[in-house]
Amino acid sequence: MNKIEIVPEERQKILENPDLILLDKELLLALLKDSDFPDEENLIDIRNVFLKKLGEKVEKLKSTNSQIIQHAYENQLGIKKIHKCCLKTIETRDIGALFKFLCLKATEILRVDVIKIVVSDNTFSNSNIQNCILKSNEEIIKFAQKIGITKGKTVRLTNVVNNKKKEPEQFIAREESTKSEAIISLLVNSEFKGFLFFESVDESTFSVDQSTDYLEFFAQVISKHLESLLYK
């Protein structure tokens, strides 16, 4: 068997950082091509170090792949929920039925704990629906500006736990158990006319680093349907 001679200094560098070899395909294959791993003079066989490091990398890769698959699966379920809510939304035939669906039934589909809706009292009349709250146009616009919602960014995700100390007064009262929320703006003729509040007892349900594409799509569907019901 051909032996690979490595000076002590170089051996020590490689032992301390096996990636020097692992990232070089030709060197790695040269070291691993023999099946006989000698241990002459009680010296550490450097190839065993590489194999151990490779094993760690494989396990890490398996774990990462599992997480990717899990997130993709959860994401697919999320898409289906949003699509179902969109279809149910456009099936409603009047404002009262729409608000009732959003406040009561959509929670079951989206699996959030509470959904509340705030709408303009200048545009909508009191429907006496649970969790449907009327506010003035001025209050709605001021709140949108305060939380950074714009016509181009219609959804905002909030970590309620971290923000509690920053909010001396709330636009609406949250449930005590709420840990995270999604705030979805409703536009009628390109003007802010209300918000949906999705509240969750799970802090990770609406994490600030999540994508809001599907919720923004849902917001557009609701807004367009609101317009059609108001001006039909």
Side-chain angles (χ1 to χ4, degrees):
M1 182 186 69
N2 295 327
K3 294 183 180 179
I4 298 175
E5 298 293 338
I6 303 177
V7 296
E9 292 80 4
E10 295 301 323
R11 175 186 290 272
Q12 187 59 35
K13 285 182 181 179
I14 295 171
L15 288 174
E16 291 175 355
N17 187 9
D19 284 343
L20 292 172
I21 299 297
L22 288 175
L23 298 178
D24 191 308
K25 182 179 178 181
E26 291 183 5
L27 285 175
L28 181 61
L29 290 177
L31 286 168
L32 298 179
K33 67 180 180 179
D34 296 315
S35 60
D36 183 18
F37 289 178
D39 190 18
E40 297 176 2
E41 299 178 4
N42 295 322
L43 295 175
I44 297 174
D45 187 340
I46 200 167
R47 285 171 296 185
N48 286 328
V49 176
F50 296 143
L51 288 177
K52 181 180 179 182
K53 187 73 173 179
L54 274 174
E56 293 172 356
K57 286 181 176 291
V58 169
E59 289 301 318
K60 184 177 181 181
L61 184 61
K62 285 167 59 179
S63 175
T64 300
N65 285 342
S66 296
Q67 291 175 9
I68 290 173
I69 292 171
Q70 180 181 352
H71 290 325
Y73 177 71
E74 292 173 350
N75 190 41
Q76 182 64 27
L77 290 180
I79 296 172
K80 287 184 178 181
K81 292 175 188 175
I82 293 294
H83 284 175
K84 185 175 181 180
C85 272
C86 288
L87 292 173
K88 293 291 185 181
T89 292
I90 61 179
E91 286 174 0
T92 57
R93 294 291 177 257
D94 56 61
I95 298 292
L98 173 61
F99 289 174
K100 187 174 182 179
F101 165 72
L102 293 174
C103 291
L104 304 177
K105 298 296 183 181
T107 56
E108 301 172 10
I109 299 174
L110 296 174
R111 295 181 184 176
V112 295
D113 295 283
V114 181
I115 294 180
K116 297 172 184 174
I117 183 170
V118 174
V119 289
S120 166
D121 58 8
N122 296 350
T123 306
F124 305 97
S125 59
N126 189 356
S127 58
N128 295 318
I129 296 172
Q130 181 183 358
N131 291 336
C132 183
I133 304 161
L134 297 177
K135 296 274 187 179
S136 68
N137 281 340
E138 292 75 17
E139 290 176 292
I140 288 172
I141 294 172
K142 183 178 178 181
F143 180 72
Q145 293 172 341
K146 178 183 177 182
I147 64 174
I149 279 185
T150 65
K151 294 174 184 177
K153 183 177 176 58
T154 56
V155 175
R156 182 178 178 86
L157 306 182
T158 306
N159 184 306
V160 176
V161 177
N162 293 339
N163 282 6
K164 276 185 176 179
K165 295 180 181 179
K166 303 176 185 178
E167 299 181 351
E169 56 182 82
Q170 296 180 15
F171 185 60
I172 62 170
R174 291 193 188 99
E175 303 301 306
E176 285 294 325
S177 57
T178 297
K179 297 292 190 302
S180 65
E181 72 179 358
I183 304 174
I184 301 171
S185 59
L186 303 176
L187 297 170
V188 174
N189 290 336
S190 299
E191 298 295 332
F192 288 112
K193 292 299 179 181
F195 303 95
L196 284 175
F197 292 80
F198 292 177
E199 299 186 19
S200 174
V201 298
D202 187 344
E203 191 172 344
S204 65
T205 301
F206 301 112
S207 175
V208 293
D209 58 354
Q210 292 175 351
S211 171
T212 60
D213 292 351
Y214 302 126
L215 290 176
E216 288 173 3
F217 175 73
F218 187 34
Q220 291 175 7
V221 170
I222 299 171
S223 295
K224 291 300 179 184
H225 191 55
L226 270 176
E227 289 181 8
S228 69
L229 293 177
L230 281 170
Y231 304 110
K232 65 179 181 179

